[in-house]
Amino acid sequence: MRILVGYDGSNVSKEAIAIAEQHAQVFNGEISLARSMVGGPEVPRRDFEKAENDLEYEKNVLLEKKIPCDYVLSVRGLEAGEDLVQIAEEKKVDEIIIGVRRRSKVGKLIFGSTAQYVILNAPSPVVAVK
């Protein structure tokens, strides 16, 4: 089983990794961590390096637990939801796990909803973790 986890360093994305770890153990799966840097090539190098270090750390934690893992740090300039869906299609994943944050209706209207986009457009089942 191939599992894609949307990871942004937040507590809720760490919860998503924990669920992915459980699924990987039960279903003999492998995990791909994915982070989208929305600014594309305009992302400051320091931010890119921090994101890469965070992903590398989480990958190594999973590898120590004998769970196959890799990561994708995307700087295509797409919105995060679009990026995650494209990565899921490219990797032909069987499941996507994403964290969701509570927001008001106005907050969703102004900022959009990555989770909503992924849930509606994903090529595979999506597990939302709060």
Side-chain angles (χ1 to χ4, degrees):
M1 170 180 234
R2 292 176 186 234
I3 304 166
L4 180 69
V5 178
Y7 181 80
D8 64 3
S10 66
N11 288 337
V12 74
S13 68
K14 291 178 183 181
E15 291 293 325
I17 291 175
I19 298 296
E21 181 182 332
Q22 292 173 6
H23 289 196
Q25 289 171 338
V26 170
F27 298 110
N28 194 29
E30 57 190 63
I31 297 173
S32 291
L33 304 173
R35 174 128 187 213
S36 175
M37 303 294 284
V38 177
E42 304 301 316
V43 172
R45 183 75 186 153
R46 177 183 54 232
D47 294 348
F48 180 84
E49 288 172 354
K50 178 170 180 355
E52 190 169 42
N53 289 337
D54 290 348
L55 288 164
E56 186 69 31
Y57 173 80
E58 296 296 342
K59 174 185 131 183
N60 288 332
V61 168
L62 291 166
L63 291 175
E64 285 177 14
K65 295 177 181 182
K66 308 290 188 229
I67 298 172
C69 183
D70 64 0
Y71 68 83
V72 176
L73 179 54
S74 176
V75 289
R76 297 185 251 205
L78 299 174
E79 290 299 317
E82 293 173 284
D83 225 356
L84 288 175
V85 168
Q86 279 193 10
I87 292 166
E89 290 169 348
E90 292 163 6
K91 291 188 147 294
K92 297 178 176 34
V93 301
D94 300 301
E95 178 181 63
I96 301 169
I97 302 178
I98 55 174
V100 294
R101 296 182 190 109
R102 288 184 179 250
R103 280 198 202 154
S104 68
K105 290 182 181 179
V106 173
K108 286 181 183 175
L109 179 65
I110 294 170
F111 298 109
S113 174
T114 298
Q116 181 179 1
Y117 185 89
V118 173
I119 290 166
L120 293 175
N121 295 287
S124 55
V126 178
V127 175
V129 178
K130 65 176 187 169

